[in-house]
Amino acid sequence: MKPARVRFAPSPTGRLHIGGARTALYNVLLAKQTGGQFILRIEDTDTKRTVAGALEELQAGLRWLGLDWQEGPDIGGPHAPYTQQARKALYQRYAEELLARGHAYRCFCTAERLQQVREAQQKAKQSPRYDGTCRALSPVEAERRAAAGEPFTIRFKLPKDGATTAHDHVRGDITVDNTTLDDFILVKSDGLALYHLAAMVDDHEMGISHVLRGTEWLGTFPLHVLIIRAFGWEEPVWCHLSVFLKPSGKGKMSKRDVTSEQSIYVAELEELGYLSEAVNSWMALMGASFGAEEELLSLDEMAARFDLGNLNPSAARVNFEKLDDFNGKWIRRLAVDDLAGRVRPFFEKAGLHPDPDTLRRVTPLFQPRIVTLDDAVEMAGFFFRPAVSPRPEDLLIKGQTPEQSRAALQAARTGLAAVPEWQHAALEAPMRALAESLGLKAGQFFGVLRAAVTGQSVSPPLFECMEVVGRETTLARLAQAEALVGPA
RNA sequence: GCCCCUAUCGUCUAGUGGACCAGGACGCGGCCCUUUCAAGGCCAAAACUGGGGUUCGAAUCCCCAUAGGGGCACCA
């Protein structure tokens, strides 16, 4: 396959969410696979909707996911600039070409009039469509009014009859009756092009070979093809990707409909403790298949297996359980040092400052026990806190008096103090023996010791914890527990 | 209201006319392992939306119905 030139062309109007990120991902995969280029282009022709900071978050999100671009607004490239506002003059030129060749006309209707027409049509249960008033104007008359300073938009002149067939690679031919299409606006009265014109011009100018975009564009797809044909340009390969639906399956995915532990925003997923690898694997599999038994694939592995023919045309419900599963699995695959490094910011955020050495020893202990990086704080935070505060009821042996529990704790402390080498393997045997001599089940006894030493009822294996916590601290925490259970 | 798209286990999907009494993963249930919690291993339940065609043969092709989704701006 020839090197593909692909692009991700978001508008800077909101946050990067998994729908957009997945579109970017598929584009990147195709570029990687074919040794082509992935281009980031900003569709900011609607100046009113631009949101401050959106572009920055967008780029940060893509970078975090490892979806790097070879040409873009920040790094430039052979077709700079990569923001559409800055390309205004280019679209103007092309619009005039369409005007000159009779594929477009000037429209002097005001926004207010258009609004009224539309409302009347809707009231009459008709499809809202431009009524063609200015299409009937002679070019000479239109020229005169424009020269007189009357504001106008430029509309595309659609074929009055017949049908248009456009080819989508994932759905096949799509045919629409031209009478159902509208003489849509190419250039606004402020002189800036609308998406439809701007995107087609840019795709052409930038040599885009494949357009992978969301299904929200399927409705205007024939329009875009018509523009390209009016210019006589070569068409890219079109792939309209399926949408993500809410977990409930009712409607397009949105911010609502997810719990506080979930998010559809890439930036929030990162904050929640998800790995970019897991997010990529997860997004990739909702809407495509990679012909592999293994579901957890790196970007390079996915690129090698990516196939435009395996894109799924139907909508997919977002499934957060699967993300959790993938994240846990990716965490378990990480090298210890890698995981330790990734988990550190989450401890810091919780106000803990693990020393590197201890963190490295502790990491294998929580590695199989966490789903998100953030979980490590709950599971292993006690290693880095100066003191623990167990719940008194966790210190009591079920069915026994507080005195007996205290005695057991004390016996453990004495026994542990006598162990010559402070290693978890050496700690376990005497404690098991002690449990037996106290007439307790090991699990019961260990549960109390766990609460005393870790302050938690759930923790990594007890003796590993003791080893890392150290002899002195372990014994001190046992003594504290005795006091908590009651006076001697 | 109009246009377009889609339709396999609860969910993500495999399946591209015979190799399918439909395979995998998540989730759910059970068992094993086990000091808690996990992880890990094993086992199980669970689907071709309905109806018509085409064909020797249909989950796969066609039509209709139904359901779901997307779109119908001087937004993208």
PDB file of all heavy atoms in Angstrom, chain A residues 45-46 171 287 295 368-369 432 450 459, chain B residues 5 13 25 35-38 70 75-76:
ATOM      1  N   THR A  45     -13.110  27.535  11.535  1.00  0.00           N
ATOM      2  CA  THR A  45     -13.784  28.536  10.714  1.00  0.00           C
ATOM      3  C   THR A  45     -14.966  29.182  11.422  1.00  0.00           C
ATOM      4  O   THR A  45     -15.458  30.214  11.003  1.00  0.00           O
ATOM      5  CB  THR A  45     -14.282  27.940   9.378  1.00  0.00           C
ATOM      6  OG1 THR A  45     -15.050  26.765   9.656  1.00  0.00           O
ATOM      7  CG2 THR A  45     -13.119  27.578   8.482  1.00  0.00           C
ATOM      8  N   ASP A  46     -15.436  28.542  12.478  1.00  0.00           N
ATOM      9  CA  ASP A  46     -16.498  29.184  13.252  1.00  0.00           C
ATOM     10  C   ASP A  46     -15.851  29.879  14.442  1.00  0.00           C
ATOM     11  O   ASP A  46     -15.672  29.310  15.510  1.00  0.00           O
ATOM     12  CB  ASP A  46     -17.521  28.151  13.740  1.00  0.00           C
ATOM     13  CG  ASP A  46     -18.708  28.824  14.407  1.00  0.00           C
ATOM     14  OD1 ASP A  46     -18.670  30.053  14.605  1.00  0.00           O
ATOM     15  OD2 ASP A  46     -19.683  28.117  14.716  1.00  0.00           O
ATOM     16  N   ARG A 171     -19.188   1.229   3.981  1.00  0.00           N
ATOM     17  CA  ARG A 171     -20.611   0.971   3.741  1.00  0.00           C
ATOM     18  C   ARG A 171     -20.979   0.742   2.288  1.00  0.00           C
ATOM     19  O   ARG A 171     -22.138   0.477   1.975  1.00  0.00           O
ATOM     20  CB  ARG A 171     -21.450   2.157   4.232  1.00  0.00           C
ATOM     21  CG  ARG A 171     -21.534   2.269   5.713  1.00  0.00           C
ATOM     22  CD  ARG A 171     -21.824   3.713   6.111  1.00  0.00           C
ATOM     23  NE  ARG A 171     -20.938   4.110   7.193  1.00  0.00           N
ATOM     24  CZ  ARG A 171     -21.229   3.906   8.465  1.00  0.00           C
ATOM     25  NH1 ARG A 171     -22.366   3.409   8.813  1.00  0.00           N
ATOM     26  NH2 ARG A 171     -20.355   4.244   9.391  1.00  0.00           N
ATOM     27  N   GLY A 287     -15.374  -0.817  17.389  1.00  0.00           N
ATOM     28  CA  GLY A 287     -15.529  -0.295  16.035  1.00  0.00           C
ATOM     29  C   GLY A 287     -14.629  -0.922  14.996  1.00  0.00           C
ATOM     30  O   GLY A 287     -14.731  -0.606  13.821  1.00  0.00           O
ATOM     31  N   GLU A 295      -5.994  -9.200  22.637  1.00  0.00           N
ATOM     32  CA  GLU A 295      -6.694  -7.919  22.501  1.00  0.00           C
ATOM     33  C   GLU A 295      -5.836  -6.730  22.891  1.00  0.00           C
ATOM     34  O   GLU A 295      -6.098  -5.609  22.484  1.00  0.00           O
ATOM     35  CB  GLU A 295      -7.957  -7.920  23.356  1.00  0.00           C
ATOM     36  CG  GLU A 295      -9.018  -8.890  22.847  1.00  0.00           C
ATOM     37  CD  GLU A 295     -10.349  -8.706  23.539  1.00  0.00           C
ATOM     38  OE1 GLU A 295     -10.371  -8.670  24.787  1.00  0.00           O
ATOM     39  OE2 GLU A 295     -11.369  -8.617  22.844  1.00  0.00           O
ATOM     40  N   PRO A 368      -0.623  -6.681  41.101  1.00  0.00           N
ATOM     41  CA  PRO A 368      -1.757  -7.515  40.673  1.00  0.00           C
ATOM     42  C   PRO A 368      -3.073  -7.132  41.334  1.00  0.00           C
ATOM     43  O   PRO A 368      -4.089  -7.776  41.104  1.00  0.00           O
ATOM     44  CB  PRO A 368      -1.323  -8.922  41.094  1.00  0.00           C
ATOM     45  CG  PRO A 368      -0.410  -8.714  42.236  1.00  0.00           C
ATOM     46  CD  PRO A 368       0.222  -7.358  42.074  1.00  0.00           C
ATOM     47  N   ARG A 369      -3.059  -6.110  42.166  1.00  0.00           N
ATOM     48  CA  ARG A 369      -4.244  -5.808  42.976  1.00  0.00           C
ATOM     49  C   ARG A 369      -4.941  -4.519  42.621  1.00  0.00           C
ATOM     50  O   ARG A 369      -5.897  -4.132  43.275  1.00  0.00           O
ATOM     51  CB  ARG A 369      -3.831  -5.741  44.453  1.00  0.00           C
ATOM     52  CG  ARG A 369      -3.765  -7.094  45.114  1.00  0.00           C
ATOM     53  CD  ARG A 369      -3.085  -7.016  46.472  1.00  0.00           C
ATOM     54  NE  ARG A 369      -1.819  -7.714  46.379  1.00  0.00           N
ATOM     55  CZ  ARG A 369      -1.694  -9.016  46.597  1.00  0.00           C
ATOM     56  NH1 ARG A 369      -2.728  -9.724  46.999  1.00  0.00           N
ATOM     57  NH2 ARG A 369      -0.539  -9.599  46.430  1.00  0.00           N
ATOM     58  N   ARG A 432       2.242 -18.615  62.164  1.00  0.00           N
ATOM     59  CA  ARG A 432       1.302 -19.714  61.950  1.00  0.00           C
ATOM     60  C   ARG A 432       1.255 -20.621  63.177  1.00  0.00           C
ATOM     61  O   ARG A 432       0.178 -21.043  63.621  1.00  0.00           O
ATOM     62  CB  ARG A 432       1.716 -20.535  60.729  1.00  0.00           C
ATOM     63  CG  ARG A 432       0.928 -20.170  59.512  1.00  0.00           C
ATOM     64  CD  ARG A 432       1.280 -21.010  58.297  1.00  0.00           C
ATOM     65  NE  ARG A 432       1.040 -20.221  57.099  1.00  0.00           N
ATOM     66  CZ  ARG A 432      -0.164 -19.937  56.638  1.00  0.00           C
ATOM     67  NH1 ARG A 432      -1.243 -20.414  57.261  1.00  0.00           N
ATOM     68  NH2 ARG A 432      -0.319 -19.177  55.596  1.00  0.00           N
ATOM     69  N   ARG A 450      -3.010  -7.743  60.354  1.00  0.00           N
ATOM     70  CA  ARG A 450      -3.054  -6.880  59.162  1.00  0.00           C
ATOM     71  C   ARG A 450      -3.611  -5.506  59.536  1.00  0.00           C
ATOM     72  O   ARG A 450      -3.052  -4.474  59.154  1.00  0.00           O
ATOM     73  CB  ARG A 450      -3.920  -7.522  58.081  1.00  0.00           C
ATOM     74  CG  ARG A 450      -4.294  -6.557  56.946  1.00  0.00           C
ATOM     75  CD  ARG A 450      -5.026  -7.240  55.807  1.00  0.00           C
ATOM     76  NE  ARG A 450      -4.121  -8.098  55.072  1.00  0.00           N
ATOM     77  CZ  ARG A 450      -4.120  -9.407  55.100  1.00  0.00           C
ATOM     78  NH1 ARG A 450      -5.003 -10.050  55.831  1.00  0.00           N
ATOM     79  NH2 ARG A 450      -3.242 -10.095  54.422  1.00  0.00           N
ATOM     80  N   SER A 459      -5.206  -5.517  52.165  1.00  0.00           N
ATOM     81  CA  SER A 459      -3.840  -5.058  51.914  1.00  0.00           C
ATOM     82  C   SER A 459      -3.097  -6.108  51.095  1.00  0.00           C
ATOM     83  O   SER A 459      -3.603  -7.206  50.893  1.00  0.00           O
ATOM     84  CB  SER A 459      -3.113  -4.838  53.239  1.00  0.00           C
ATOM     85  OG  SER A 459      -2.620  -6.064  53.742  1.00  0.00           O
TER      86      SER A 459
ATOM     87  P     C B   5     -28.317   4.517   2.776  1.00  0.00           P
ATOM     88  OP1   C B   5     -27.505   3.927   1.690  1.00  0.00           O
ATOM     89  OP2   C B   5     -29.743   4.146   2.928  1.00  0.00           O
ATOM     90  O5'   C B   5     -27.604   4.232   4.173  1.00  0.00           O
ATOM     91  C5'   C B   5     -26.228   4.543   4.358  1.00  0.00           C
ATOM     92  C4'   C B   5     -25.869   4.345   5.812  1.00  0.00           C
ATOM     93  O4'   C B   5     -26.704   5.184   6.641  1.00  0.00           O
ATOM     94  C3'   C B   5     -26.118   2.941   6.367  1.00  0.00           C
ATOM     95  O3'   C B   5     -25.065   2.071   6.029  1.00  0.00           O
ATOM     96  C2'   C B   5     -26.158   3.220   7.860  1.00  0.00           C
ATOM     97  O2'   C B   5     -24.870   3.455   8.377  1.00  0.00           O
ATOM     98  C1'   C B   5     -26.931   4.540   7.889  1.00  0.00           C
ATOM     99  N1    C B   5     -28.374   4.362   8.099  1.00  0.00           N
ATOM    100  C2    C B   5     -28.821   4.053   9.395  1.00  0.00           C
ATOM    101  O2    C B   5     -27.995   3.901  10.290  1.00  0.00           O
ATOM    102  N3    C B   5     -30.152   3.929   9.618  1.00  0.00           N
ATOM    103  C4    C B   5     -31.029   4.094   8.612  1.00  0.00           C
ATOM    104  N4    C B   5     -32.324   3.963   8.883  1.00  0.00           N
ATOM    105  C5    C B   5     -30.594   4.388   7.282  1.00  0.00           C
ATOM    106  C6    C B   5     -29.268   4.516   7.070  1.00  0.00           C
ATOM    107  P     U B  13     -18.228  -3.096  18.185  1.00  0.00           P
ATOM    108  OP1   U B  13     -17.686  -1.940  17.463  1.00  0.00           O
ATOM    109  OP2   U B  13     -19.631  -3.493  18.000  1.00  0.00           O
ATOM    110  O5'   U B  13     -17.261  -4.326  17.933  1.00  0.00           O
ATOM    111  C5'   U B  13     -17.549  -5.319  16.982  1.00  0.00           C
ATOM    112  C4'   U B  13     -16.652  -6.497  17.259  1.00  0.00           C
ATOM    113  O4'   U B  13     -17.065  -7.134  18.502  1.00  0.00           O
ATOM    114  C3'   U B  13     -16.738  -7.601  16.234  1.00  0.00           C
ATOM    115  O3'   U B  13     -15.871  -7.301  15.147  1.00  0.00           O
ATOM    116  C2'   U B  13     -16.240  -8.799  17.026  1.00  0.00           C
ATOM    117  O2'   U B  13     -14.848  -8.789  17.173  1.00  0.00           O
ATOM    118  C1'   U B  13     -16.881  -8.538  18.398  1.00  0.00           C
ATOM    119  N1    U B  13     -18.186  -9.187  18.557  1.00  0.00           N
ATOM    120  C2    U B  13     -18.186 -10.571  18.639  1.00  0.00           C
ATOM    121  O2    U B  13     -17.175 -11.233  18.587  1.00  0.00           O
ATOM    122  N3    U B  13     -19.424 -11.152  18.781  1.00  0.00           N
ATOM    123  C4    U B  13     -20.630 -10.502  18.844  1.00  0.00           C
ATOM    124  O4    U B  13     -21.667 -11.156  18.974  1.00  0.00           O
ATOM    125  C5    U B  13     -20.550  -9.063  18.753  1.00  0.00           C
ATOM    126  C6    U B  13     -19.359  -8.477  18.612  1.00  0.00           C
ATOM    127  P     A B  25     -11.983 -16.253  25.796  1.00  0.00           P
ATOM    128  OP1   A B  25     -10.818 -16.683  26.599  1.00  0.00           O
ATOM    129  OP2   A B  25     -13.326 -16.808  26.057  1.00  0.00           O
ATOM    130  O5'   A B  25     -12.097 -14.670  25.868  1.00  0.00           O
ATOM    131  C5'   A B  25     -10.934 -13.857  25.702  1.00  0.00           C
ATOM    132  C4'   A B  25     -11.346 -12.402  25.767  1.00  0.00           C
ATOM    133  O4'   A B  25     -12.227 -12.109  24.653  1.00  0.00           O
ATOM    134  C3'   A B  25     -12.168 -12.010  26.989  1.00  0.00           C
ATOM    135  O3'   A B  25     -11.353 -11.776  28.120  1.00  0.00           O
ATOM    136  C2'   A B  25     -12.842 -10.741  26.492  1.00  0.00           C
ATOM    137  O2'   A B  25     -11.941  -9.662  26.469  1.00  0.00           O
ATOM    138  C1'   A B  25     -13.183 -11.140  25.053  1.00  0.00           C
ATOM    139  N9    A B  25     -14.523 -11.741  24.985  1.00  0.00           N
ATOM    140  C8    A B  25     -14.875 -13.066  24.903  1.00  0.00           C
ATOM    141  N7    A B  25     -16.177 -13.273  24.876  1.00  0.00           N
ATOM    142  C5    A B  25     -16.719 -12.002  24.964  1.00  0.00           C
ATOM    143  C6    A B  25     -18.044 -11.522  24.990  1.00  0.00           C
ATOM    144  N6    A B  25     -19.114 -12.321  24.931  1.00  0.00           N
ATOM    145  N1    A B  25     -18.228 -10.194  25.080  1.00  0.00           N
ATOM    146  C2    A B  25     -17.160  -9.395  25.138  1.00  0.00           C
ATOM    147  N3    A B  25     -15.859  -9.711  25.123  1.00  0.00           N
ATOM    148  C4    A B  25     -15.708 -11.040  25.029  1.00  0.00           C
ATOM    149  P     U B  35      -3.321 -19.518  53.219  1.00  0.00           P
ATOM    150  OP1   U B  35      -2.024 -19.573  53.878  1.00  0.00           O
ATOM    151  OP2   U B  35      -4.306 -20.622  53.334  1.00  0.00           O
ATOM    152  O5'   U B  35      -4.054 -18.185  53.649  1.00  0.00           O
ATOM    153  C5'   U B  35      -4.806 -18.162  54.853  1.00  0.00           C
ATOM    154  C4'   U B  35      -5.013 -16.736  55.253  1.00  0.00           C
ATOM    155  O4'   U B  35      -3.757 -16.207  55.730  1.00  0.00           O
ATOM    156  C3'   U B  35      -5.404 -15.845  54.092  1.00  0.00           C
ATOM    157  O3'   U B  35      -6.802 -15.827  53.981  1.00  0.00           O
ATOM    158  C2'   U B  35      -4.831 -14.488  54.497  1.00  0.00           C
ATOM    159  O2'   U B  35      -5.727 -13.743  55.275  1.00  0.00           O
ATOM    160  C1'   U B  35      -3.631 -14.861  55.369  1.00  0.00           C
ATOM    161  N1    U B  35      -2.316 -14.671  54.730  1.00  0.00           N
ATOM    162  C2    U B  35      -1.801 -13.387  54.681  1.00  0.00           C
ATOM    163  O2    U B  35      -2.421 -12.428  55.090  1.00  0.00           O
ATOM    164  N3    U B  35      -0.564 -13.266  54.131  1.00  0.00           N
ATOM    165  C4    U B  35       0.216 -14.298  53.652  1.00  0.00           C
ATOM    166  O4    U B  35       1.331 -14.044  53.201  1.00  0.00           O
ATOM    167  C5    U B  35      -0.385 -15.586  53.723  1.00  0.00           C
ATOM    168  C6    U B  35      -1.610 -15.736  54.256  1.00  0.00           C
ATOM    169  P     U B  36      -7.506 -15.479  52.647  1.00  0.00           P
ATOM    170  OP1   U B  36      -8.758 -16.253  52.579  1.00  0.00           O
ATOM    171  OP2   U B  36      -6.510 -15.578  51.578  1.00  0.00           O
ATOM    172  O5'   U B  36      -7.884 -13.953  52.840  1.00  0.00           O
ATOM    173  C5'   U B  36      -8.807 -13.553  53.849  1.00  0.00           C
ATOM    174  C4'   U B  36      -8.958 -12.056  53.789  1.00  0.00           C
ATOM    175  O4'   U B  36      -7.687 -11.454  54.132  1.00  0.00           O
ATOM    176  C3'   U B  36      -9.277 -11.519  52.415  1.00  0.00           C
ATOM    177  O3'   U B  36     -10.669 -11.538  52.182  1.00  0.00           O
ATOM    178  C2'   U B  36      -8.739 -10.101  52.494  1.00  0.00           C
ATOM    179  O2'   U B  36      -9.628  -9.251  53.182  1.00  0.00           O
ATOM    180  C1'   U B  36      -7.488 -10.285  53.359  1.00  0.00           C
ATOM    181  N1    U B  36      -6.249 -10.438  52.584  1.00  0.00           N
ATOM    182  C2    U B  36      -5.700  -9.284  52.047  1.00  0.00           C
ATOM    183  O2    U B  36      -6.208  -8.190  52.174  1.00  0.00           O
ATOM    184  N3    U B  36      -4.530  -9.475  51.377  1.00  0.00           N
ATOM    185  C4    U B  36      -3.865 -10.655  51.168  1.00  0.00           C
ATOM    186  O4    U B  36      -2.804 -10.663  50.544  1.00  0.00           O
ATOM    187  C5    U B  36      -4.507 -11.798  51.743  1.00  0.00           C
ATOM    188  C6    U B  36      -5.656 -11.654  52.408  1.00  0.00           C
ATOM    189  P     C B  37     -11.205 -11.975  50.763  1.00  0.00           P
ATOM    190  OP1   C B  37     -12.682 -11.959  50.839  1.00  0.00           O
ATOM    191  OP2   C B  37     -10.500 -13.194  50.332  1.00  0.00           O
ATOM    192  O5'   C B  37     -10.739 -10.774  49.829  1.00  0.00           O
ATOM    193  C5'   C B  37     -11.168  -9.451  50.098  1.00  0.00           C
ATOM    194  C4'   C B  37     -10.378  -8.506  49.220  1.00  0.00           C
ATOM    195  O4'   C B  37      -8.986  -8.499  49.645  1.00  0.00           O
ATOM    196  C3'   C B  37     -10.300  -8.913  47.761  1.00  0.00           C
ATOM    197  O3'   C B  37     -11.469  -8.506  47.076  1.00  0.00           O
ATOM    198  C2'   C B  37      -9.061  -8.152  47.294  1.00  0.00           C
ATOM    199  O2'   C B  37      -9.336  -6.787  47.082  1.00  0.00           O
ATOM    200  C1'   C B  37      -8.148  -8.285  48.524  1.00  0.00           C
ATOM    201  N1    C B  37      -7.207  -9.414  48.404  1.00  0.00           N
ATOM    202  C2    C B  37      -5.953  -9.170  47.823  1.00  0.00           C
ATOM    203  O2    C B  37      -5.714  -8.024  47.419  1.00  0.00           O
ATOM    204  N3    C B  37      -5.070 -10.189  47.710  1.00  0.00           N
ATOM    205  C4    C B  37      -5.395 -11.402  48.145  1.00  0.00           C
ATOM    206  N4    C B  37      -4.486 -12.381  48.008  1.00  0.00           N
ATOM    207  C5    C B  37      -6.666 -11.685  48.745  1.00  0.00           C
ATOM    208  C6    C B  37      -7.541 -10.677  48.850  1.00  0.00           C
ATOM    209  P     A B  38     -11.880  -9.188  45.716  1.00  0.00           P
ATOM    210  OP1   A B  38     -13.174  -8.612  45.332  1.00  0.00           O
ATOM    211  OP2   A B  38     -11.734 -10.662  45.842  1.00  0.00           O
ATOM    212  O5'   A B  38     -10.790  -8.623  44.726  1.00  0.00           O
ATOM    213  C5'   A B  38     -10.238  -9.443  43.725  1.00  0.00           C
ATOM    214  C4'   A B  38      -8.918  -8.835  43.340  1.00  0.00           C
ATOM    215  O4'   A B  38      -7.990  -8.959  44.448  1.00  0.00           O
ATOM    216  C3'   A B  38      -8.222  -9.525  42.185  1.00  0.00           C
ATOM    217  O3'   A B  38      -8.707  -9.039  40.946  1.00  0.00           O
ATOM    218  C2'   A B  38      -6.772  -9.131  42.432  1.00  0.00           C
ATOM    219  O2'   A B  38      -6.536  -7.793  42.060  1.00  0.00           O
ATOM    220  C1'   A B  38      -6.704  -9.261  43.960  1.00  0.00           C
ATOM    221  N9    A B  38      -6.363 -10.618  44.381  1.00  0.00           N
ATOM    222  C8    A B  38      -7.170 -11.570  44.966  1.00  0.00           C
ATOM    223  N7    A B  38      -6.562 -12.709  45.205  1.00  0.00           N
ATOM    224  C5    A B  38      -5.271 -12.499  44.746  1.00  0.00           C
ATOM    225  C6    A B  38      -4.128 -13.328  44.705  1.00  0.00           C
ATOM    226  N6    A B  38      -4.118 -14.583  45.154  1.00  0.00           N
ATOM    227  N1    A B  38      -2.998 -12.814  44.180  1.00  0.00           N
ATOM    228  C2    A B  38      -3.023 -11.538  43.723  1.00  0.00           C
ATOM    229  N3    A B  38      -4.034 -10.668  43.706  1.00  0.00           N
ATOM    230  C4    A B  38      -5.133 -11.210  44.231  1.00  0.00           C
ATOM    231  P     G B  70     -27.730   9.569  17.733  1.00  0.00           P
ATOM    232  OP1   G B  70     -26.849  10.189  18.735  1.00  0.00           O
ATOM    233  OP2   G B  70     -29.190   9.777  17.785  1.00  0.00           O
ATOM    234  O5'   G B  70     -27.220   9.987  16.282  1.00  0.00           O
ATOM    235  C5'   G B  70     -25.838   9.876  15.951  1.00  0.00           C
ATOM    236  C4'   G B  70     -25.647  10.163  14.495  1.00  0.00           C
ATOM    237  O4'   G B  70     -26.436   9.238  13.709  1.00  0.00           O
ATOM    238  C3'   G B  70     -26.146  11.520  14.031  1.00  0.00           C
ATOM    239  O3'   G B  70     -25.210  12.538  14.310  1.00  0.00           O
ATOM    240  C2'   G B  70     -26.292  11.287  12.531  1.00  0.00           C
ATOM    241  O2'   G B  70     -25.039  11.277  11.882  1.00  0.00           O
ATOM    242  C1'   G B  70     -26.874   9.872  12.522  1.00  0.00           C
ATOM    243  N9    G B  70     -28.341   9.896  12.496  1.00  0.00           N
ATOM    244  C8    G B  70     -29.200   9.625  13.522  1.00  0.00           C
ATOM    245  N7    G B  70     -30.461   9.730  13.178  1.00  0.00           N
ATOM    246  C5    G B  70     -30.412  10.093  11.839  1.00  0.00           C
ATOM    247  C6    G B  70     -31.465  10.355  10.907  1.00  0.00           C
ATOM    248  O6    G B  70     -32.686  10.303  11.104  1.00  0.00           O
ATOM    249  N1    G B  70     -30.973  10.697   9.654  1.00  0.00           N
ATOM    250  C2    G B  70     -29.639  10.787   9.326  1.00  0.00           C
ATOM    251  N2    G B  70     -29.356  11.135   8.077  1.00  0.00           N
ATOM    252  N3    G B  70     -28.656  10.539  10.181  1.00  0.00           N
ATOM    253  C4    G B  70     -29.111  10.198  11.403  1.00  0.00           C
ATOM    254  P     C B  75     -22.289  29.908  10.451  1.00  0.00           P
ATOM    255  OP1   C B  75     -22.327  31.127  11.244  1.00  0.00           O
ATOM    256  OP2   C B  75     -21.083  29.565   9.681  1.00  0.00           O
ATOM    257  O5'   C B  75     -22.625  28.673  11.392  1.00  0.00           O
ATOM    258  C5'   C B  75     -22.207  27.402  10.997  1.00  0.00           C
ATOM    259  C4'   C B  75     -21.500  26.791  12.165  1.00  0.00           C
ATOM    260  O4'   C B  75     -22.477  26.044  12.934  1.00  0.00           O
ATOM    261  C3'   C B  75     -20.441  25.773  11.805  1.00  0.00           C
ATOM    262  O3'   C B  75     -19.229  26.412  11.511  1.00  0.00           O
ATOM    263  C2'   C B  75     -20.386  24.965  13.090  1.00  0.00           C
ATOM    264  O2'   C B  75     -19.666  25.662  14.079  1.00  0.00           O
ATOM    265  C1'   C B  75     -21.865  24.908  13.486  1.00  0.00           C
ATOM    266  N1    C B  75     -22.555  23.707  13.007  1.00  0.00           N
ATOM    267  C2    C B  75     -22.552  22.565  13.824  1.00  0.00           C
ATOM    268  O2    C B  75     -21.974  22.621  14.902  1.00  0.00           O
ATOM    269  N3    C B  75     -23.193  21.444  13.405  1.00  0.00           N
ATOM    270  C4    C B  75     -23.805  21.432  12.220  1.00  0.00           C
ATOM    271  N4    C B  75     -24.426  20.321  11.853  1.00  0.00           N
ATOM    272  C5    C B  75     -23.829  22.572  11.365  1.00  0.00           C
ATOM    273  C6    C B  75     -23.188  23.677  11.791  1.00  0.00           C
ATOM    274  P     A B  76     -18.261  25.817  10.440  1.00  0.00           P
ATOM    275  OP1   A B  76     -17.177  26.807  10.292  1.00  0.00           O
ATOM    276  OP2   A B  76     -19.000  25.352   9.246  1.00  0.00           O
ATOM    277  O5'   A B  76     -17.683  24.513  11.155  1.00  0.00           O
ATOM    278  C5'   A B  76     -16.841  24.596  12.305  1.00  0.00           C
ATOM    279  C4'   A B  76     -16.755  23.213  12.916  1.00  0.00           C
ATOM    280  O4'   A B  76     -18.102  22.767  13.229  1.00  0.00           O
ATOM    281  C3'   A B  76     -16.221  22.140  11.989  1.00  0.00           C
ATOM    282  O3'   A B  76     -14.809  22.095  12.008  1.00  0.00           O
ATOM    283  C2'   A B  76     -16.847  20.878  12.563  1.00  0.00           C
ATOM    284  O2'   A B  76     -16.159  20.447  13.715  1.00  0.00           O
ATOM    285  C1'   A B  76     -18.226  21.379  12.957  1.00  0.00           C
ATOM    286  N9    A B  76     -19.220  21.188  11.885  1.00  0.00           N
ATOM    287  C8    A B  76     -19.507  22.018  10.843  1.00  0.00           C
ATOM    288  N7    A B  76     -20.447  21.559  10.046  1.00  0.00           N
ATOM    289  C5    A B  76     -20.804  20.345  10.597  1.00  0.00           C
ATOM    290  C6    A B  76     -21.746  19.375  10.233  1.00  0.00           C
ATOM    291  N6    A B  76     -22.539  19.469   9.163  1.00  0.00           N
ATOM    292  N1    A B  76     -21.853  18.267  10.993  1.00  0.00           N
ATOM    293  C2    A B  76     -21.051  18.158  12.065  1.00  0.00           C
ATOM    294  N3    A B  76     -20.134  19.018  12.529  1.00  0.00           N
ATOM    295  C4    A B  76     -20.060  20.105  11.737  1.00  0.00           C
TER     296        A B  76
END
